[in-house]
Amino acid sequence: MGTTTAGTRLRTEVPGPASRELQARRSAAVAAGVASTLPVFITRGGDGLLVDVDGNELIDLGSGIAVTGVGNPAPAVVDAVREQVERFTHTCFMITPYEGYVTVCEELNRLTPGDHEKRSALFNSGAEAVENAVKIARYATGRPAVVVLDHAYHGRTNLTMALTAKNMPYKHRFGPFAGEVYRVPTSYPFRDPDGMTGEQAAARATTQIDKLVGASNVAAVVVEPIQGEGGFVVPAPGFLPALAAWCAEAGALFVADEIQTGFCRTGAWFAVDHEQVVPDLVTTAKGIAGGLPLGGVTGRVEIMDAVHPGGLGGTYGGNPVACAAALAAIGTMRSADLPAAARRIEQTALPRLRDLAARVPAIGDVRGRGAMLAIEFVRPGTLDPDPDTTARAAAACHRAGVIVLTCGTYSNVIRLLPPLVIPPALLDEGLSVLESSIVDTVG
Ligand SMILES: Cc1ncc(COP(=O)(O)O)c(C=O)c1O
């Protein structure tokens, strides 16, 4: 792959003719409800680059939505997967078990916060992990209610749609949704009243729970430590600890959904580590397995083991190939110290994004942790979200060959999720293209 600037990484317009041809075939074969941010068809990956069918090299600041942090493909993952598929591809852990599943659970029990005794169970996706965390929490507590936050995203299955906040595109016309789900305000420093502390935001949430749900009815409060799809919302310090303390007092379980934030993304193994919060249950997926589908629920032994044998599982959950990939990915995170790599990405990118905000009046806020960073667009001088400007800025980045994603309840946030192994020069190059695309389009 070349080492030129993004302009010369592109051989055609984006998308190019070969991608457009495939897009036509796709439209005739693939359901329209499955959309793509950028309709370029990929043939090959690299550490921070994706090569498309027209030979364009795109700088990847999205990692397939926070999945390929260890590389795409990561050499250790390739070797582990190859070795596993040559031995066997599937038995179903519920029929005849295998060691890889056990080893992944041991790793999850070791790596997730807290030194209490834990157990884990494996599934296929993030949504499935969240669903199972709710099943386990209800079973263990004997309570029905699940509390979630404004701007939350937990998936697209029926129960997780109920937990997810945003209507379009996730929920519109897909109801009715699962019951006993209650939504309360979160901590969103950019949009909360000036000076509202994390503790005050938590009190605002827990007062509502007390009044509207009743603490003794609550099985679980499910929280993304940094909200992902909802806008990369980093709560004010003190919010997560106060919510966890309320749960402990109420006998409700504090469930950290670390599906987007986990596995080194925010500069720590898990985002709750930044505030020393120890959840009762942690859900994981995305970055855990270097691109293969795997999700997990990890938690206190007495909670996880409450469920009767046979109550949890699924045909493919903890598939041996996905487990082999996860063990290799986790090995790479350890040996390459990817939490430190994420912190270095923050040190490079955040000051540059702040400079950009100073130059572009439509940027209302820049925030994030580690390699999970965001730019929120507003009408200059107000808090009014500006989704049109956001869409134009993202489209300009795409045309210039940089993959960025948007997010936010108001669709007014560009988020950056570079691979943790992105070479520093490529990150610099991607940021330069992003800056000039945004300045030229909306500055
Ligand atoms: C915080 C969070 N929870 C759950 C999910 C759902 O994961 P999946 O798409 O693997 O079902 C996501 C996906 O974006 C997520 O970010």
Short mmCIF file of all heavy atoms in Angstrom, two decimals, residues 65 125-128 130 153-155 224 228-229 257 259-260 285-286, ligand 1:
data_model
loop_
_atom_site.label_atom_id
_atom_site.label_comp_id
_atom_site.label_asym_id
_atom_site.label_seq_id
_atom_site.Cartn_x
_atom_site.Cartn_y
_atom_site.Cartn_z
N ILE A 65 -17.25 0.23 13.06
CA ILE A 65 -17.92 0.61 14.32
C ILE A 65 -17.22 -0.02 15.52
O ILE A 65 -17.78 -0.86 16.24
CB ILE A 65 -19.43 0.31 14.36
CG1 ILE A 65 -20.12 0.56 13.01
CG2 ILE A 65 -20.10 1.15 15.45
CD1 ILE A 65 -21.63 0.40 13.02
N SER A 125 -23.43 -11.58 19.42
CA SER A 125 -23.45 -10.17 19.06
C SER A 125 -23.65 -9.34 20.33
O SER A 125 -23.93 -9.88 21.41
CB SER A 125 -24.63 -9.89 18.12
OG SER A 125 -25.84 -10.08 18.82
N GLY A 126 -23.55 -8.02 20.14
CA GLY A 126 -23.77 -7.13 21.27
C GLY A 126 -25.20 -7.18 21.77
O GLY A 126 -25.46 -7.27 22.97
N ALA A 127 -26.16 -7.13 20.83
CA ALA A 127 -27.56 -7.12 21.24
C ALA A 127 -27.89 -8.39 22.02
O ALA A 127 -28.60 -8.34 23.04
CB ALA A 127 -28.46 -7.01 20.01
N GLU A 128 -27.36 -9.51 21.55
CA GLU A 128 -27.63 -10.76 22.25
C GLU A 128 -27.02 -10.75 23.66
O GLU A 128 -27.61 -11.29 24.60
CB GLU A 128 -27.01 -11.91 21.46
CG GLU A 128 -27.99 -12.96 21.01
CD GLU A 128 -27.27 -14.19 20.51
OE1 GLU A 128 -26.73 -14.13 19.39
OE2 GLU A 128 -27.24 -15.19 21.22
N VAL A 130 -26.63 -8.07 25.52
CA VAL A 130 -27.47 -7.21 26.36
C VAL A 130 -28.76 -7.93 26.75
O VAL A 130 -29.20 -7.91 27.90
CB VAL A 130 -27.76 -5.87 25.66
CG1 VAL A 130 -28.73 -5.03 26.49
CG2 VAL A 130 -26.47 -5.09 25.42
N TYR A 153 -28.12 3.42 23.39
CA TYR A 153 -28.22 2.46 22.29
C TYR A 153 -27.74 1.11 22.82
O TYR A 153 -26.62 0.99 23.34
CB TYR A 153 -27.35 2.86 21.09
CG TYR A 153 -27.52 1.87 19.94
CD1 TYR A 153 -28.53 2.05 19.00
CD2 TYR A 153 -26.73 0.73 19.84
CE1 TYR A 153 -28.72 1.13 17.97
CE2 TYR A 153 -26.91 -0.19 18.83
CZ TYR A 153 -27.90 0.01 17.89
OH TYR A 153 -28.10 -0.90 16.89
N HIS A 154 -28.61 0.10 22.67
CA HIS A 154 -28.23 -1.23 23.14
C HIS A 154 -28.49 -2.32 22.11
O HIS A 154 -28.27 -3.49 22.42
CB HIS A 154 -28.93 -1.55 24.46
CG HIS A 154 -28.57 -0.60 25.57
ND1 HIS A 154 -27.31 -0.60 26.16
CD2 HIS A 154 -29.27 0.39 26.17
CE1 HIS A 154 -27.27 0.35 27.09
NE2 HIS A 154 -28.44 0.96 27.12
N GLY A 155 -28.99 -1.96 20.91
CA GLY A 155 -29.15 -2.97 19.87
C GLY A 155 -30.48 -2.88 19.17
O GLY A 155 -31.26 -1.93 19.37
N GLU A 224 -24.34 2.69 29.17
CA GLU A 224 -23.08 2.76 28.40
C GLU A 224 -22.19 3.79 29.11
O GLU A 224 -22.59 4.96 29.24
CB GLU A 224 -23.33 3.28 26.99
CG GLU A 224 -24.19 2.42 26.10
CD GLU A 224 -24.80 3.26 24.98
OE1 GLU A 224 -24.15 3.39 23.92
OE2 GLU A 224 -25.91 3.79 25.15
N GLY A 228 -22.51 5.53 22.86
CA GLY A 228 -21.97 5.38 21.51
C GLY A 228 -22.86 6.01 20.46
O GLY A 228 -22.70 7.19 20.11
N GLU A 229 -23.83 5.23 19.97
CA GLU A 229 -24.70 5.74 18.91
C GLU A 229 -25.41 7.03 19.32
O GLU A 229 -25.75 7.86 18.48
CB GLU A 229 -25.76 4.69 18.53
CG GLU A 229 -25.23 3.31 18.23
CD GLU A 229 -24.29 3.28 17.05
OE1 GLU A 229 -24.68 3.73 15.96
OE2 GLU A 229 -23.14 2.84 17.23
N ASP A 257 -22.75 -1.58 29.79
CA ASP A 257 -22.70 -2.03 28.41
C ASP A 257 -21.41 -1.46 27.80
O ASP A 257 -21.35 -0.30 27.40
CB ASP A 257 -23.94 -1.54 27.65
CG ASP A 257 -23.92 -1.99 26.19
OD1 ASP A 257 -22.86 -2.45 25.72
OD2 ASP A 257 -24.96 -1.87 25.52
N ILE A 259 -19.93 -2.61 25.15
CA ILE A 259 -19.81 -3.21 23.82
C ILE A 259 -19.03 -2.29 22.88
O ILE A 259 -18.19 -2.77 22.11
CB ILE A 259 -21.22 -3.55 23.29
CG1 ILE A 259 -21.72 -4.80 24.04
CG2 ILE A 259 -21.25 -3.74 21.78
CD1 ILE A 259 -23.19 -5.05 23.97
N GLN A 260 -19.26 -0.99 22.95
CA GLN A 260 -18.50 -0.07 22.09
C GLN A 260 -17.24 0.46 22.80
O GLN A 260 -16.23 0.72 22.18
CB GLN A 260 -19.38 1.10 21.62
CG GLN A 260 -18.75 1.90 20.51
CD GLN A 260 -19.73 2.64 19.61
OE1 GLN A 260 -19.35 3.55 18.92
NE2 GLN A 260 -20.98 2.27 19.59
N ALA A 285 -18.67 -7.07 23.28
CA ALA A 285 -18.80 -7.60 21.90
C ALA A 285 -17.78 -6.81 21.07
O ALA A 285 -16.69 -6.50 21.56
CB ALA A 285 -20.21 -7.47 21.35
N LYS A 286 -18.15 -6.45 19.85
CA LYS A 286 -17.34 -5.60 18.97
C LYS A 286 -15.84 -5.90 19.04
O LYS A 286 -15.38 -6.84 18.44
CB LYS A 286 -17.63 -4.14 19.27
CG LYS A 286 -19.00 -3.68 18.78
CD LYS A 286 -19.14 -2.17 18.85
CE LYS A 286 -20.50 -1.65 18.49
NZ LYS A 286 -20.78 -1.63 17.07
C1 LIG B 1 -23.24 0.14 23.41
C2 LIG B 1 -23.77 -0.86 22.43
N1 LIG B 1 -24.54 -1.87 22.86
C3 LIG B 1 -25.02 -2.80 22.03
C4 LIG B 1 -24.75 -2.75 20.68
C5 LIG B 1 -25.32 -3.79 19.76
O1 LIG B 1 -24.30 -4.59 19.29
P1 LIG B 1 -24.52 -5.48 17.96
O2 LIG B 1 -24.63 -4.55 16.82
O3 LIG B 1 -23.30 -6.37 17.91
O4 LIG B 1 -25.76 -6.28 18.20
C6 LIG B 1 -23.96 -1.71 20.18
C7 LIG B 1 -23.68 -1.60 18.74
O5 LIG B 1 -23.38 -0.56 18.20
C8 LIG B 1 -23.45 -0.74 21.08
O6 LIG B 1 -22.69 0.28 20.65
#
